[in-house]
Amino acid sequence: MAERIKLALVGIGKIARDQHLPAIAADNAFELVAAVSRSGRVEGVPNFNDIAALIESGLPVDAVSLCTPPVGRHRIAAQALAAGLHVMLEKPPGATLAEVHQLQAQAAAGSGRSLFATWHSRHAAGVDAARAWLADKQIKQAAIVWREDIRVWHPGQEWILEAGGLGVFDPGINALSIVTSILPGALRLESAKLVFPAGRGAPIAAGLAMVLGEAAPVSADFDFRPTWPQSWDITVETDRGTLMLTEGGARLWIDGEEQRTDGIGEYPALYRRFAELVAAGRSDCDLRPMALVADAFLLGERTETDPFAF
């Protein structure tokens, strides 16, 4: 058996506890050896307040998985890469495209260091089969409806509605990560409408008008306000039938008939992929979903709605 990858988890919040820690514990390729957080702690391993303290401790570490909010993540990732560590980034991979490009260059300049910009929704059970089915189809149009209650999925996380927190694009980018993966062709934004709560720095709702190639319209309806019903659905109409992904990509339907899908789970699949990249000394950084979000902020028509409180 190959030697296990000594991993430190950075940022011990809701996503780390709900998804990362169970996935790491179930993967024999990794050994969790440390946690880094200003507030959260993980029992059974050394805990550090910041990445510098971890590096200075001399504790043997091969890789870090960063689960911090995107603003400020670049500095942590750059320090880790400079220390010779492999780096896995929770989505979105950073606060700006420029800083992630800089991390890519830094990783490429090193000796076998891996940088993995993750998109967990691409590993939902129905996504691979959806991509395969669409590969030889002509796309007529596609629609995304991604509507969820921010208070349920991000309780008390004020940072998400601050500048750089992405607001509704934090879940919306999951949908964009799926469509950029399954649709056969290049996706381009044509216009956007962004709704900001009064006094907040990030949108609580957004509508996107995109185009696949030069002909097929692709729309997106993102909203953080619904308490019920909530939906994480993608519909693609083709010349030979209609495909639907529901429940965030977990379930696949072709012409109204549900298809059998297989998978090990989104986060277990991410860590399996990270182990492959580390073993090969390669990186994986697809920034197309993030580029669409950046374009939405560039092109978006902004309106203001009522103040929002958690």
Side-chain angles (χ1 to χ4, degrees):
M1 179 178 174
E3 186 174 348
R4 299 171 76 187
I5 299 165
K6 295 179 174 60
L7 180 75
L9 190 61
V10 183
I12 310 302
K14 179 174 171 53
I15 194 68
R17 296 193 183 280
D18 289 352
Q19 302 292 348
H20 288 261
L21 286 171
I24 294 165
D27 194 326
N28 288 330
F30 293 94
E31 177 188 0
L32 184 67
V33 298
V36 179
S37 176
R38 289 177 296 180
S39 55
R41 291 291 183 266
V42 175
E43 294 183 5
V45 298
N47 287 266
F48 299 88
N49 288 331
D50 55 42
I51 190 71
L54 169 65
I55 294 168
E56 291 168 4
S57 74
L59 182 74
V61 179
D62 302 312
V64 294
S65 179
L66 305 190
C67 306
T68 59
V71 173
R73 191 183 295 164
H74 172 265
R75 177 184 57 81
I76 301 170
Q79 287 180 278
L81 288 170
L85 304 179
H86 306 283
V87 175
M88 174 170 162
L89 303 170
E90 175 61 85
K91 64 87 189 172
T96 70
L97 286 165
E99 66 183 35
V100 185
H101 287 309
Q102 189 178 71
L103 293 175
Q104 287 179 281
Q106 185 179 353
S111 178
R113 291 174 299 180
S114 299
L115 180 67
F116 183 23
T118 67
W119 302 107
H120 65 81
S121 290
R122 285 184 174 176
H123 297 276
V127 172
D128 285 346
R131 184 190 309 110
W133 189 83
L134 291 170
D136 63 350
K137 309 293 189 301
Q138 179 182 342
I139 310 301
K140 293 184 176 181
Q141 62 181 0
I144 301 165
V145 179
W146 223 256
R147 301 166 67 86
E148 64 180 53
D149 187 346
I150 186 175
R151 293 185 178 93
V152 172
W153 298 98
H154 299 275
Q157 295 179 3
E158 297 283 349
W159 62 267
I160 207 166
L161 288 177
E162 295 174 359
L166 292 192
V168 76
F169 287 111
D170 182 84
I173 205 169
N174 294 334
L176 297 176
S177 75
I178 293 175
V179 295
T180 51
S181 175
I182 67 173
L183 293 180
L187 195 59
R188 174 173 55 84
L189 182 78
E190 290 193 316
S191 65
K193 294 184 178 180
L194 312 179
V195 181
F196 286 73
R200 295 286 189 171
I204 199 164
L208 307 186
M210 299 169 282
V211 63
L212 181 68
E214 294 301 326
V218 179
S219 64
D221 172 14
F222 300 144
D223 204 325
F224 246 164
R225 296 168 294 186
T227 55
W228 191 264
Q230 301 186 61
S231 59
W232 301 271
D233 302 335
I234 297 170
T235 304
V236 185
E237 296 183 20
T238 81
D239 59 337
R240 284 178 281 164
T242 298
L243 175 147
M244 284 191 66
L245 284 168
T246 63
E247 298 181 18
R251 301 175 70 182
L252 172 64
W253 309 75
I254 305 295
D255 291 331
E257 183 176 343
E258 187 166 11
Q259 309 296 301
R260 180 176 177 178
T261 56
D262 297 305
I264 63 172
E266 295 178 15
Y267 280 85
L270 287 183
Y271 278 95
R272 176 180 291 182
R273 175 63 173 157
F274 190 34
E276 293 171 351
L277 293 171
V278 169
R282 295 189 294 109
S283 293
D284 181 351
C285 295
D286 180 3
L287 299 183
R288 289 177 294 167
M290 190 172 177
L292 288 169
V293 172
D295 287 348
F297 278 103
L298 283 170
L299 290 178
E301 174 188 337
R302 302 184 178 212
T303 60
E304 188 174 283
T305 189
D306 296 336
F308 177 85
F310 283 91

